[in-house]
């Protein structure tokens, strides 16, 4: 069964940094897009950054210049380096993938991880 596992969240002070990781496993043929979303208390889930199989990258305006998304294609893993953190960055960060599993190559799948909590506070 294909699944996503996130890691790297934690408690940091304003101005600090973290590196989030998301690994996809379980029998994958093709990954079309992998990315990161976040949901802060009282707010809707929003796209933070994503990267396509063709290496096209998108960022939310609020994180441009501070966050960097990257991937290791051979490991089916995506990373999010988050720097210069602000209290408003506090949220649960979720990994998302659009992919085709090798168990049924006729179906396109969208998967979500369970999330990793980032708390930015003094």
């Amino acid at each position: 069964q294909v699944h996503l596992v996130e890691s790297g969240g934690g408690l940091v002070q304003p101005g600090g940094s973290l590196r989030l990781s998301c690994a996809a496993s379980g029998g994958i043929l093709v990954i079309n897009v992998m990315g990161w979303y976040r949901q802060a208390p009282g707010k809707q889930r929003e796209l933070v950054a994503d990267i396509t199989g063709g290496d096209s990258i998108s960022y939310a305006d609020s994180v441009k210049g501070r966050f960097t998304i990257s991937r290791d294609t051979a490991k089916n893993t995506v990373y999010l380096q988050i720097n210069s953190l602000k209290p408003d960055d506090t949220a649960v960060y979720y990994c998302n993938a659009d992919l085709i599993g090798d168990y049924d190559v006729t179906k396109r799948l969208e998967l979500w991880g369970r999330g990793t909590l980032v708390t930015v506070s003094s």
Side-chain angles (χ1 to χ4, degrees), residues 29 100-109:
L29 181 64
I100 299 172
D102 60 10
Y103 61 94
D104 187 349
V105 299
T106 68
K107 293 184 177 179
R108 171 175 163 266
L109 304 176

Side-chain angles (χ1 to χ4, degrees), residues 13 39 42 48 54 68 80 83-84 90 100:
Q13 295 184 353
Q39 188 165 21
V48 176
T68 303
L80 187 69
N83 299 328
S84 302
T90 296
I100 299 172

Side-chain angles (χ1 to χ4, degrees), residues 2-115:
V2 181
H3 64 280
L4 307 177
V5 179
E6 303 110 322
S7 62
L11 174 64
V12 297
Q13 295 184 353
S17 299
L18 290 170
R19 190 191 190 206
L20 310 182
S21 299
C22 174
S25 63
I28 298 166
L29 181 64
V30 177
I31 296 178
N32 300 310
V33 185
M34 291 188 73
W36 291 92
Y37 290 70
R38 69 184 181 185
Q39 188 165 21
K43 296 184 178 180
Q44 298 294 314
R45 187 174 298 187
E46 64 176 349
L47 175 67
V48 176
D50 62 20
I51 182 168
T52 71
D55 295 323
S56 178
I57 294 173
S58 297
Y59 293 103
D61 288 342
S62 61
V63 307
K64 288 180 180 177
R66 299 188 297 121
F67 292 11
T68 303
I69 190 169
S70 61
R71 68 178 178 183
D72 185 333
T73 303
K75 296 181 179 179
N76 292 324
T77 299
V78 66
Y79 306 95
L80 187 69
Q81 180 70 39
I82 56 177
N83 299 328
S84 302
L85 288 165
K86 307 172 182 178
D88 285 348
D89 295 318
T90 296
V92 178
Y93 285 70
Y94 296 93
C95 183
N96 173 263
D98 182 312
L99 56 82
I100 299 172
D102 60 10
Y103 61 94
D104 187 349
V105 299
T106 68
K107 293 184 177 179
R108 171 175 163 266
L109 304 176
E110 184 181 27
L111 301 178
W112 292 92
R114 294 181 179 180

